[in-house]
């Protein structure tokens, strides 16, 4: 059945479009864009989208979907359902599963399993090193053939600089970026929050911003040396923004992402010791958040990614020092981005949407994130003004570990369309 | 008069009036321990649970004696390590205890913040007996009590807290309390043991021990955790002792009537020389006696305020 | 009662104590906080003037012995210091308080005192006995009996605490629950 989305403000950063127009979806493709489009065939389903924004489906290039191995925390089923609720039509998943996605068998499994689930598209990220051990390289080439889009040892940073260099060189042959979780484990060891004024007051061991900056510097130097593409995951501090900005000026091929929690919260949120505020990298200072906003504004940081990291209560509802790192993000990312960045005047809607569609697609060379005629019909319809309250208990994700439970946000996804099929509808299509 | 909240979590959230109320109440309690019959019927029929997730003979015994002198039933539960070992969350443990209807739960835990989580989860009043490197309110209160007892007042006194400030809950609680009561606090120790931005707490930071001791009315020596030398925080015990230990030689630079405090247990010959610890200005044993009075006062105020 | 009335009442109590005890042998005074303490000192002074002896005077805070601890103490109440710097064993102890009313304070004071030793005799001296007892307790020495009703408030003001000597009786505007 064809879909005709009428009267929305279509924003497609890839096509340079920002205009009130209709979108006709025929089968699984964008068929036409234009004013006052007529139905192509009888029986076309009309979706009234006046007051809404129609954009390419969002892309999250950093999620932990936990399958295989940690199905009690999340499965591809629950994770991809959570994604479409949040307006995401494509999700890149990190390899720190059990077993680790360091070989083509796991990659194949993930891709076929995601096809069964439907919902959002899945783009697996392979490991840099076998078993995320930081030593021998994983079968990067074979995994590429199986469908991985990047490599990363996310959560287990590659401490050996020589290994990192070889990973960049090797992945570079396949045009694949290396996604680096920048953390010097010796500097961060034992730390559970940002090292600063608040950690001093709370008596919690801190992670200095230097633990990130040291590794950002190293990886930028290695990217320059190898000429390969580097993507810096979850930038958390001013120093990293500064280093990446300089590197771009020098022409180093680097992209970077920030999570909604890192542009929304500061280390002040840790007061009260809510384990849901424990995340790696930690929530930083207000100055860091300002620098991140600056980096988003001037394009230094081109991607917003969730670092969706579901955990069950047994690992999260614990002493602050013992609780697992991470928070869920797929279902709150768009709301936070609209509320904190668009409504506070930091980014325009086209700029914001570029960081959730075109830019992540470019960073990982994905065939997604655009609404040009002929493109796959992955579309999100969002209401940038709609106010809603975050309810952790209503998450599709199995994870309840969100520090935003109870927050009132402005802006949410109303409908998600993947391959021309409506996979999520908050009452828009009725 | 009573306290504002149901719990005693830290000095950071106490008002100066609350701190003084506790000190004054402890004065009324102190005499009980000097009687032949060291018991009053005040908390008869009340149950106090000492939940200690970290070994501590001194504080646990002090709370136990305090509870018993007020006629409460005191139950000690020692759990080693984290609740994760049992596959139970900290909240599970707490709810299980609450189901046995205690009137107060005294909590010691190696992780900062645990008493705060319990206080949120439970209706039972919680008294923090030390959480990680965060707060140790009862120790700081007994320190303040001991100083006031000797000097008659607190405002304007110059106090130096010396040693491993970064890992010390005693230092934090004392800094919060002392600055609230108008005392001038200096922290002294190696730069490796100074937490970031500590000066924002309203204290002076000095790394030279001789300077730090020069004008002080009171010096509080902190216990050195011996395992810290494996974390590159100082090169050797010998060097630490020479640069930061309190010995007779160093004491010559101090005021004649300098008061010496130590939360115990002391490392003789490391942060404090034996002849100093046992010397005339050492208040170490008075601190221990006063600890019972302070804990009696807290148990009384917490139960009375329920 | 004004200053002179109070002084006369205390003088009479002092004489009665001496008479009952036939001198000041083994006699000690313990005032119940807060206003019993200055009264105990005044009685001791009066006895001292007669007998040329300095009687030991202690102070007792009965808060920790109250039977109504968990029904909210008055807002301004603060635990005071108990100071009995002498042995009470085999002594004749005169407990001194300002007002005898329900008898509960005296009951608590007896319990407290016995925790300090085994006195030979305990007597109770009060400036005002206002009746309305709830426990089988009697004063041995009474300054003045003032029959009152529930809902009336008897307040003893003393120079040492309040800056003036006066006893006032007034109606409580709002009867307590």
């Amino acid at each position: 059945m064809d879909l005709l989305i009428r009267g929305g403000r279509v924003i497609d950063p890839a096509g340079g479009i920002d205009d009130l127009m209709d979108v006709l979806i025929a089968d699984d493709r964008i068929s036409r864009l234009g004013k006052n489009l007529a139905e192509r065939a009888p029986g076309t389903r009309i979706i009234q989208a006046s007051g809404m924004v129609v954009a390419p489906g969002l892309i999250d290039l950093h999620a932990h979907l936990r399958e295989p191995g940690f199905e009690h925390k999340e499965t591809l089923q629950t994770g991809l359902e959570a994604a479409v609720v949040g307006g995401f039509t494509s999700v890149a998943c990190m390899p720190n599963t059990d077993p680790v996605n360091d070989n083509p068998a796991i990659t194949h499994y993930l891709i076929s399993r995601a096809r069964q689930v439907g919902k959002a598209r899945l783009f697996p990220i392979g490991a840099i090193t076998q078993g995320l051990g930081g030593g021998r390289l994983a079968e990067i080439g074979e995994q590429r053939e199986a469908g991985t889009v990047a490599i990363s040892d996310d959560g287990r940073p590659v401490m050996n600089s020589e290994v990192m260099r070889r990973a960049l060189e090797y992945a570079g042959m396949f045009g694949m970026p290396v996604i680096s979780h920048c953390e010097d484990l010796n500097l961060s060891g034992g730390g559970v929050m940002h090292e600063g004024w608040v950690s001093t007051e709370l008596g919690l061991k801190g992670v200095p911003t230097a633990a990130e900056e040291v590794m950002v510097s190293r990886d930028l130097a290695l990217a320059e040396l190898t000429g390969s593409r580097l993507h810096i995951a979850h930038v958390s501090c001013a120093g990293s923004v500064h280093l990446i900005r300089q590197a771009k000026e020098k022409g180093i091929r680097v992209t970077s992402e920030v999570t909604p929690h890192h542009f929304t919260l500061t280390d002040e949120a840790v007061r009260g010791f809510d384990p849901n505020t424990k995340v790696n990298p930690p929530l930083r200072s207000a100055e860091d958040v300002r620098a991140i906003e600056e980096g988003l504004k001037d394009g230094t940081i081109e991607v917003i990614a969730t670092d969706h990291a579901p955990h069950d209560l047994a690992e999260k509802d614990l002493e602050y020092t013992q609780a697992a790192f991470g928070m869920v993000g797929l279902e709150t990312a768009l709301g936070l981005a609209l509320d904190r960045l668009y409504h506070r005047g930091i980014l325009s809607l086209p700029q914001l949407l570029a960081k959730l569609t075109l830019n992540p697609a470019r960073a990982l060379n994905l065939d997604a994130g655009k609404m040009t005629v002929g493109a796959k019909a992955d579309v999100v319809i969002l209401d940038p003004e709609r106010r809603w309250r975050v309810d952790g208990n209503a998450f599709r994700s199995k994870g309840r570990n969100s520090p935003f439970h109870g927050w009132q946000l402005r802006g949410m996804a109303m409908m998600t369309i993947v391959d021309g099929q409506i996979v999520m509808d908050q009452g828009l299509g009725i | 008069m009573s306290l504002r909240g149901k719990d005693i979590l830290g000095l950071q959230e106490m008002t100066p009036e609350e701190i003084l109320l506790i000190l004054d109440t402890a004065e009324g309690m102190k005499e009980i321990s000097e009687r032949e019959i060291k018991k009053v019927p005040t908390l008869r029929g009340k149950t106090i649970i000492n939940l200690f997730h970290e070994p501590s003979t001194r504080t646990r015994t002090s709370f136990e004696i305090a509870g018993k002198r007020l006629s409460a039933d005191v139950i000690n539960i020692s759990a080693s390590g984290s609740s994760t070992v049992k596959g139970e969350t900290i909240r599970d443990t707490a709810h299980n205890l609450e189901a046995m209807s205690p009137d107060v739960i005294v909590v010691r835990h190696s992780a900062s913040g645990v008493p705060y989580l319990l206080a949120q989860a439970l209706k039972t009043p919680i008294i923090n007996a030390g959480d990680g490197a965060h707060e140790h309110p009862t120790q700081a209160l007994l320190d303040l009590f001991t100083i006031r007892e000797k000097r008659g007042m607190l405002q304007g006194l110059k106090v130096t807290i010396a040693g491993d400030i970064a890992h010390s809950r005693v230092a934090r609680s004392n800094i919060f309390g002392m600055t609230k009561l108008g005392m001038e606090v200096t922290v002294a120790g190696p730069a490796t043991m100074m937490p970031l931005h500590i000066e924002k707490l309203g204290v002076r930071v000095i790394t030279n021990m001789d300077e730090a001791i020069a004008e002080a009315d009171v010096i509080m020596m902190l216990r050195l955790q011996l395992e810290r030398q494996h974390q590159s925080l100082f090169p050797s015990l010998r060097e630490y002792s020479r640069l930061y230990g309190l010995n007779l030689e160093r004491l010559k630079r101090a005021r004649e009537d300098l008061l010496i405090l130590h939360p115990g247990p002391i490392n003789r010959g490391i942060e404090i020389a034996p002849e100093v610890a046992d010397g005339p200005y050492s208040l170490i044993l008075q601190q221990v006696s006063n600890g019972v009075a302070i804990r009696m006062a807290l148990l009384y105020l917490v139960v009375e305020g329920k | 009662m004004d200053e002179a009335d109070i002084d006369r009442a205390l003088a009479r109590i002092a004489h009665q104590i001496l008479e009952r005890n036939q001198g000041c042998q083994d006699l000690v005074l313990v005032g119940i906080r807060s206003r019993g303490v200055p009264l105990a000192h005044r009685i001791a002074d009066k006895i001292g003037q007669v007998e040329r002896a300095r009687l030991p005077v202690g102070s007792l805070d009965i808060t920790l012995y109250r039977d109504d601890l968990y029904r909210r103490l008055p807002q301004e109440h603060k635990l005071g210091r108990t100071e009995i710097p002498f042995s009470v064993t085999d002594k004749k102890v005169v407990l001194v308080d300002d007002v005898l009313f329900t008898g509960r304070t005296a009951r608590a004071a007896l319990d407290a005192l016995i925790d300090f030793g085994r006195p030979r005799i305990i007597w109770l001296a009060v400036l005002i006995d206002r009746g309305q007892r709830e426990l089988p307790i009697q004063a041995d020495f009474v300054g003045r009996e003032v029959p009152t009703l529930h809902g009336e408030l008897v307040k003893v003001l003393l120079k040492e605490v309040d800056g003036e000597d006066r006893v006032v009786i007034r109606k409580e505007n709002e009867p307590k629950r």
Side-chain angles (χ1 to χ4, degrees):
Chain A
M1 186 173 56
D2 294 356
L3 293 175
L4 179 57
I5 306 168
R6 277 218 159 120
R9 175 180 169 192
V10 175
I11 300 178
D12 176 25
I17 299 167
D18 180 4
D19 202 358
L20 286 177
M21 57 171 78
D22 300 344
V23 180
L24 181 67
I25 296 170
D27 301 322
D28 61 344
R29 300 276 158 181
I30 304 286
S31 163
R32 289 182 66 194
L33 293 168
K35 307 245 178 197
N36 305 315
L37 291 184
E39 296 135 66
R40 190 184 64 150
T44 297
R45 185 162 172 192
I46 313 283
I47 295 156
Q48 286 298 343
S50 41
M52 306 283 150
V53 169
V54 183
L58 310 183
I59 301 170
D60 183 13
L61 53 68
H62 191 147
H64 299 271
L65 298 184
R66 305 300 188 204
E67 190 177 338
F70 306 103
E71 286 84 355
H72 57 292
K73 298 185 179 190
E74 194 82 288
T75 61
L76 291 181
Q77 180 80 39
T78 56
L80 294 175
E81 274 179 23
V84 297
V85 167
F88 291 94
T89 56
S90 298
V91 178
C93 61
M94 284 295 172
N96 58 340
T97 46
D98 184 20
V100 169
N101 182 18
D102 60 1
N103 64 76
I106 303 293
T107 309
H108 279 304
Y109 167 79
L110 289 170
I111 290 172
S112 70
R113 186 77 194 94
R115 267 199 201 115
Q116 288 168 4
V117 170
K119 306 290 178 186
R121 286 176 212 288
L122 187 73
F123 294 101
I125 296 166
I128 297 174
T129 60
Q130 293 179 20
L132 304 179
R136 295 172 60 189
L137 291 183
E139 292 164 337
I140 296 166
E142 285 197 4
Q143 281 196 277
R144 171 71 176 163
E145 284 168 21
T148 55
V149 292
I151 56 171
S152 180
D153 275 7
D154 186 61
R156 299 272 298 275
V158 178
M159 284 296 288
N160 184 325
S161 307
E162 168 71 3
V163 172
M164 192 63 172
R165 173 199 176 156
R166 298 306 173 202
L168 278 158
E169 285 172 339
Y170 199 80
M173 297 191 306
F174 307 102
M176 269 208 298
V178 177
I179 302 177
S180 178
H181 168 132
C182 292
E183 175 187 355
D184 183 312
L185 293 173
N186 293 316
L187 276 173
S188 66
V192 296
M193 69 174 292
H194 170 62
E195 181 174 346
W197 161 235
V198 181
S199 68
T200 290
E201 276 203 333
L202 297 184
L204 286 171
K205 180 142 199 294
V207 178
T209 53
E212 178 171 312
E213 292 152 3
V214 162
M215 291 305 250
V216 170
S217 303
R218 179 198 76 171
D219 290 346
L220 289 170
L222 293 175
E224 185 174 26
L225 173 69
T226 58
S228 296
R229 284 176 48 199
L230 173 70
H231 178 79
I232 309 274
H234 41 54
V235 168
S236 77
C237 59
S240 301
V241 177
H242 187 67
L243 288 164
I244 294 165
R245 189 178 288 131
Q246 281 182 327
K248 287 188 167 178
E249 281 163 13
K250 275 170 83 178
I252 297 171
R253 300 170 73 197
V254 58
T255 54
S256 63
E257 72 190 31
V258 65
T259 70
H261 46 272
H262 284 113
F263 64 63
T264 302
L265 296 173
T266 66
D267 55 350
E268 291 289 336
V270 180
R271 292 185 193 280
F273 300 96
D274 177 4
N276 287 328
T277 61
K278 184 175 172 183
V279 65
N280 187 14
L283 302 171
R284 299 288 187 186
S285 70
E287 296 90 84
D288 292 310
V289 172
R290 270 196 295 280
I292 283 168
E293 288 174 352
E294 231 11 78
L296 282 163
K297 240 189 224 177
D298 71 11
T300 302
I301 302 173
E302 53 277 90
V303 174
I304 294 169
T306 65
D307 196 4
H308 177 81
H311 288 292
D312 63 343
L313 277 182
E315 277 190 52
K316 203 61 185 174
D317 192 18
L318 296 175
E319 304 90 310
Y320 204 87
T321 51
Q322 299 296 318
F325 288 99
M327 45 182 82
V328 291
L330 283 168
E331 289 163 86
T332 48
L334 179 61
L336 287 165
L338 288 167
D339 193 292
R340 310 297 294 191
L341 301 177
Y342 166 58
H343 287 299
R344 285 169 68 235
I346 290 157
L347 296 178
S348 69
L349 272 177
Q351 286 171 326
L352 174 62
L353 288 168
K355 292 182 196 296
L356 284 160
T357 58
L358 172 65
N359 298 351
R362 278 190 182 155
L364 299 194
N365 301 324
L366 306 180
D367 179 21
K370 52 180 186 277
M371 272 181 70
T372 40
V373 170
K376 277 187 192 142
D378 291 358
V379 174
V380 62
I381 303 176
L382 55 98
D383 183 345
E385 300 303 327
R386 174 106 161 203
R387 290 174 198 274
W388 61 290
R389 193 168 289 282
V390 178
D391 177 6
N393 298 315
F395 284 159
R396 296 301 177 92
S397 167
K398 283 191 178 183
R400 296 286 175 269
N401 48 313
S402 169
F404 300 111
H405 180 72
W407 279 43
Q408 165 115 19
L409 298 178
R410 191 167 163 204
M412 69 182 278
M414 300 301 295
M415 180 178 275
T416 309
I417 297 165
V418 174
D419 267 342
Q421 301 294 313
I422 297 171
V423 290
M424 189 282 286
D425 181 4
Q426 302 278 16
L428 204 61
I430 300 165
Chain B
M1 289 175 78
S2 45
L3 302 170
R4 289 175 307 152
K6 75 174 171 76
D7 312 294
I8 304 289
L9 297 177
L11 264 60
Q12 188 175 27
E13 57 210 23
M14 269 186 206
T15 62
E17 293 73 30
E18 284 179 301
I19 296 173
L20 293 175
L21 170 66
I22 294 164
L23 301 189
D24 292 347
T25 306
E27 283 197 7
M29 294 292 181
K30 195 173 173 184
E31 158 271 330
I32 295 167
S33 298
E34 291 156 6
R35 297 183 192 177
E36 195 132 324
I37 298 171
K38 302 177 197 50
K39 202 187 237 331
V40 292
T42 320
L43 299 188
R44 208 157 51 94
K46 304 287 170 187
T47 305
I48 297 165
I49 293 183
N50 275 335
L51 177 62
F52 276 60
H53 272 270
E54 195 183 58
S56 152
T57 317
R58 185 176 303 240
T59 306
R60 186 185 53 66
T61 310
S62 182
F63 265 109
E64 187 172 353
I65 290 176
K68 287 182 170 169
R69 289 197 177 152
L70 291 170
S71 298
D73 295 308
V74 184
I75 286 98
N76 292 315
I77 299 176
S78 303
S80 53
S82 156
S83 50
T84 42
V85 179
K86 288 178 292 180
E88 213 179 39
T89 73
I90 187 79
R91 250 176 270 261
D92 292 335
T93 314
H95 284 298
N96 271 292
L97 290 177
E98 188 160 72
M100 294 182 251
S101 336
D103 296 281
V104 183
I105 300 177
V106 177
V107 186
R108 157 70 65 97
H109 204 290
S110 56
S112 296
V114 167
Y116 291 72
L117 295 181
L118 294 186
Q120 284 163 21
L122 303 182
K123 290 193 274 300
T124 312
I126 303 292
I127 297 181
N128 182 0
D131 65 320
H134 181 221
E135 281 240 35
H136 193 348
T138 63
Q139 176 70 41
L141 288 163
L142 76 88
D143 292 336
L144 289 167
F145 184 87
T146 307
I147 297 167
R148 192 176 77 164
E149 193 176 49
K150 277 283 159 193
R151 282 281 179 271
M153 48 92 177
L154 293 170
Q155 184 147 20
L157 289 183
K158 295 189 172 75
V159 184
T160 293
I161 305 175
D164 185 356
I165 308 294
H167 300 93
S168 174
R169 53 191 170 215
V170 176
R172 277 178 185 71
S173 284
N174 266 300
I175 291 169
F176 294 137
M178 288 172 169
T179 50
K180 272 178 198 183
L181 296 176
M183 302 167 80
E184 291 175 34
V185 184
T186 299
V187 291
T192 47
M193 292 176 167
M194 281 298 164
L196 217 53
H197 305 315
I198 181 80
E199 69 288 346
K200 283 200 194 173
L201 290 176
V203 302
R204 189 168 69 128
V205 182
I206 285 188
T207 52
N208 181 306
M209 189 67 176
D210 289 329
E211 245 175 84
I213 200 175
E215 287 172 19
D217 297 298
V218 181
I219 186 153
M220 179 181 296
M221 300 304 298
L222 299 175
R223 177 179 166 79
L224 182 73
Q225 303 286 325
L226 299 183
E227 65 270 22
R228 302 279 179 225
Q229 66 181 315
H230 307 302
Q231 299 167 0
S232 308
L233 295 182
F234 60 93
S236 69
L237 286 176
R238 208 171 60 96
E239 179 158 325
Y240 182 86
S241 175
R242 230 180 61 99
L243 293 180
Y244 293 100
L246 190 60
N247 50 39
L248 287 177
E249 186 57 32
R250 188 156 272 144
L251 219 44
K252 286 181 191 158
R253 298 166 187 275
R255 286 175 50 135
E256 286 241 314
D257 57 353
L258 175 75
L259 300 180
I260 299 163
L261 277 76
H262 191 299
I266 60 172
N267 292 307
R268 283 179 181 272
I270 296 174
E271 73 266 1
I272 190 161
E275 54 278 18
V276 174
D278 306 331
Y281 295 107
S282 162
L283 299 177
I284 297 174
L285 294 178
Q286 280 98 311
Q287 286 175 276
V288 177
S289 323
N290 290 339
V292 175
I294 281 288
R295 291 174 180 117
M296 287 171 77
L298 289 171
L299 290 171
Y300 163 70
L301 288 169
V302 161
V303 176
E304 189 258 323
K306 262 219 299 187
Chain C
M1 282 171 94
D2 61 14
E3 193 177 332
D5 295 334
I6 291 174
D7 193 56
R8 271 195 299 277
L10 293 177
R12 196 171 63 248
I13 289 173
H15 280 104
Q16 286 173 348
I17 292 171
L18 282 175
E19 209 162 302
R20 175 84 65 98
N21 192 49
Q22 303 192 335
C24 60
Q25 184 72 31
D26 291 336
L27 202 58
V28 300
L29 289 141
V30 173
I32 299 174
R33 274 189 185 273
S34 56
R35 287 179 182 75
V37 179
L39 289 176
H41 280 284
R42 291 194 201 180
I43 293 170
D45 289 346
K46 291 193 186 303
I47 291 174
Q49 281 161 22
V50 179
E51 294 286 320
R52 298 182 186 214
R54 187 72 243 151
L55 287 192
V57 180
S59 61
L60 190 63
D61 186 300
I62 54 100
T63 311
L64 299 173
Y65 292 83
R66 290 171 72 116
D67 59 6
D68 60 351
L69 192 62
Y70 304 107
R71 305 191 210 163
R72 279 273 158 230
L73 294 168
Q75 254 310 301
E76 71 281 4
H77 184 85
K78 214 171 184 180
L79 179 64
R81 236 199 266 223
T82 292
E83 283 167 303
I84 304 182
F86 46 80
S87 165
V88 297
T89 299
D90 292 332
K91 292 288 186 325
K92 296 169 190 171
V93 181
V94 182
L95 272 174
V96 182
D97 203 0
D98 52 351
V99 180
L100 177 59
F101 180 26
T102 61
R104 289 178 192 273
T105 301
R107 196 280 308 157
L110 288 171
D111 281 355
L113 200 55
I114 283 162
D115 279 355
F116 283 85
R118 187 177 182 281
R120 200 158 126 234
I121 296 176
I122 301 176
W123 285 312
L124 177 61
V126 296
L127 182 60
I128 307 286
D129 180 351
R130 58 169 291 191
Q132 305 280 356
R133 215 77 78 237
E134 292 170 5
L135 295 175
I137 279 173
Q138 297 295 349
D140 298 276
F141 311 104
V142 178
R144 184 179 290 188
E145 287 188 26
V146 183
T148 56
L149 300 168
H150 266 289
E152 279 179 328
L153 208 71
V154 178
K155 186 88 186 130
V156 174
L157 303 175
L158 296 177
K159 276 186 185 151
E160 294 89 330
V161 189
D162 313 289
E164 58 168 334
D165 275 1
R166 199 152 58 90
V167 179
V168 289
I169 304 175
R170 56 182 161 86
K171 290 256 184 292
E172 230 176 332
N173 293 338
E174 291 172 303
K176 284 186 177 161
R177 68 197 147 76

